[in-house]
Structure formats: C-alpha cells, structure tokens
Amino acid sequence: MKTILITGCSSGFGLETARYFLERDWNVVATMRTPRADVLPHSSRLRILALDVVDAHSIAQAIDAAGPIDVLVNNAGIGVLGALEGTTMASAREVFDTNTLGTIAMTQAVLPQFRQRKAGVIVNVTSSVTYEPLPLLSVYTASKAAVNAFTESLALELAPFNVRARLVLPGRAPETRFGENARPRMEGAIPEAYAELAQRVFAGWSESSAVTLAQDVAEAVWRAATAPSSPMRIAAGADAVALAGSR
Ligand SMILES: NC(=O)c1ccc[n+]([C@@H]2O[C@H](COP(=O)([O-])OP(=O)(O)OC[C@H]3O[C@@H](n4cnc5c(N)ncnc54)[C@H](OP(=O)(O)O)[C@@H]3O)[C@@H](O)[C@H]2O)c1
C-alpha cells in the first residue's frame, strides 16, 4: 500500500486530492497549517498532520511524523492579484516564500528517503498562467514559473535514482478558497491607473465558461503519481488543457 503526503489540504485542490487517493486505497498524510479532522472522511489510512511550508521546524516535524512516503504533492500555495505598482514587497515575498521556496524546502526534506529507496515521485502544482501569462498576476506567475523550471531541472538530477518529478498545471478554479485567501494581499493592489485593465480582465473571466474543478486536479495528480510514462507537464481542467494544446 502506497503513501502520499499532500500539502495544503484544508481546502480546494489539496483536500480533493486527499479524498481521491483515500478512495483509491492509498495511505494519505493530509497536511494543513491548522489541522482539522472534520474536512475529510474518517479512515484508518488517513493521518492529518500540522505543516506550514514556510517554517523549517514545521517541515522537519511533519516529515519525521509521516514516516516513509512514496509521493509528495507540493500543492500549498497563495495568490496575489494586482498591478505590480500596487503590490507590496511583503506580499511578493510571502508569495515566493510559500509557492516557490516552500516547494523547494519540502522537496529537499523528502529527497534523502526517496534517493536511498531509489523510488518516489514529487508532484508540484503550478498554474496554467505559466502557459499563457495574464496581466495583474506578474508576481504569482513568476513564483509558479520558477517552480516549473526548478522541477524540470530537478527531474534530470533525480532520474539516475529512479525518482520522478512532475508538474500539474491547473486552470482557473473559482470554486476553491484561492481568491478569498488572496484578499489580504490585494489591499490597494489595483491603483486607479490600472482600473480599466482590471475591469477588462475580470470581464474576460466572467465570460469564460471553461474552468478547472478540484476533481480535475486530483485526477492529474493521480496520473503524475501512478503513471511512470506521464509527461513532465500535465494540464488540469478544460481551460488549462485548451491552453496547453494551443502551445
Ligand atoms: N484556484 C485556482 O484558480 C488555481 C489555479 C491554478 C493553480 N492553483 C494552485 O493550486 C494550489 C491549490 O490552490 P487552491 O485553488 O486549492 O486554493 P486554496 O483553496 O486556497 O488552497 C490552498 C491551500 O494552501 C494552504 N496554504 C497556504 N499557505 C500555506 C503554508 N504556508 N503552509 C501550508 N499550507 C499553506 C492553504 O491553507 P490555509 O487554509 O492554512 O490557508 C490551503 O489549504 C495552489 O498552489 C495554487 O497556487 C490554483
């Protein structure tokens, strides 16, 4: 029986991915900044651990408590939507600390066991905005594009040890808590000079019918985790698949 550890399981893609793997008889280590047992079905194969990916001590404790794992999913992430002029450096740092350095730190923490066992898969969740950039997302897009580059280089470094690294690139998913969780970083992030552009961007989003569902991401993670021949980049969601296909 295989074990998957997923970051950011309190809501959205992480939560759905935890459910998806539980239903398929995997052992699941669902990690959250604030552990909550009530969001997932009770199962003897489920463990819920506290983990904040920007805290080195928290990472060490969670990896220690998790024991051997077969698949790591770096899903925890935060957004910031706004013009660069209106984005504080504190917000930019927070986004890179979580999305980019959090992913790197988690990956580093599992590597010794993967390398020694000559087995393991790292699945990094980035975004379809790295296929086709959108305005007002420069910092967020950069934080995810860095993870794409990191993962593609690392995959080559780990191949001799039979350790795989893969990317899952979801499209826009309005059903998760992502937008709401980004709000604190969006205070004053759209100065008047960018208001018209922002209106156009938001109108485009409300018109587009193709979106990504949490289930699409769980399925893409499943493919990355279980199919050794899966491609490096797996688009998740109808909108992301369309963008990937147009590249
Ligand atoms: N929704 C979209 O449109 C979209 C599109 C493409 C890619 N993505 C990416 O998909 C991933 C999941 O996003 P989502 O849409 O499911 O959003 P979400 O519902 O906001 O879930 C994000 C999760 O990350 C956790 N998290 C944030 N900072 C963390 C930290 N320092 N340590 C550990 N966990 C942390 C959150 O936990 P708390 O509850 O503790 O805040 C939450 O569980 C993110 O990497 C995001 O960038 C999202």
Side-chain angles (χ1 to χ4, degrees):
M1 201 183 286
K2 294 211 166 187
T3 301
I4 186 168
L5 185 148
I6 308 162
T7 66
C9 287
S10 66
S11 60
F13 301 159
L15 181 58
E16 185 58 31
T17 303
R19 277 200 206 107
Y20 193 94
F21 277 77
L22 271 179
E23 282 165 8
R24 282 155 187 79
D25 294 335
W26 278 53
N27 292 321
V28 174
V29 183
T31 68
M32 306 176 193
R33 281 197 284 197
T34 310
R36 283 183 53 186
D38 60 328
V39 290
L40 281 159
H42 176 76
S43 166
S44 58
R45 287 179 288 99
L46 170 66
R47 269 181 305 155
I48 296 177
L49 296 180
L51 171 60
D52 183 334
V53 301
V54 304
D55 177 341
H57 180 65
S58 172
I59 292 177
Q61 271 193 328
I63 294 297
D64 193 40
I69 62 167
D70 300 286
V71 177
L72 165 69
V73 183
N74 286 308
N75 162 76
I78 57 173
V80 58
L81 173 68
L84 185 61
E85 275 194 73
T87 303
T88 65
M89 281 310 293
S91 288
R93 286 202 177 90
E94 203 185 336
V95 168
F96 269 79
D97 277 348
T98 307
N99 297 0
T100 315
L101 295 175
T103 293
I104 293 173
M106 280 301 298
T107 304
Q108 199 175 47
V110 301
L111 275 190
Q113 57 165 301
F114 282 10
R115 180 179 45 74
Q116 276 156 27
R117 288 206 307 273
K118 284 200 177 294
V121 186
I122 298 146
V123 183
N124 292 335
V125 177
T126 64
S127 172
S128 67
V129 293
T130 62
Y131 286 126
E132 187 174 270
L134 290 168
L136 308 179
L137 282 166
S138 60
V139 168
Y140 175 72
T141 304
S143 76
K144 293 294 192 179
V147 175
N148 289 352
F150 162 75
T151 309
E152 286 169 347
S153 169
L154 189 71
L156 301 174
E157 181 174 318
L158 299 181
F161 305 107
N162 194 37
V163 175
R164 286 191 290 126
R166 292 289 186 271
L167 290 161
V168 166
L169 297 90
R172 194 173 66 89
E175 70 165 16
T176 73
R177 291 179 57 84
F178 190 67
E180 204 178 316
N181 286 339
R183 252 175 236 292
R185 284 170 296 281
M186 287 167 57
E187 189 75 29
I190 304 184
E192 189 50 40
Y194 297 87
E196 206 184 305
L197 171 67
Q199 255 177 10
R200 278 206 306 276
V201 172
F202 300 152
W205 285 347
S206 57
E207 275 164 23
S208 66
S209 54
V211 292
T212 295
L213 304 175
Q215 164 101 6
D216 298 326
V217 178
E219 283 168 5
V221 172
W222 175 264
R223 199 174 151 207
T226 61
S229 60
S230 61
M232 164 56 71
R233 293 181 177 217
I234 303 176
D239 51 342
V241 169
L243 277 180
S246 68
R247 304 284 299 175

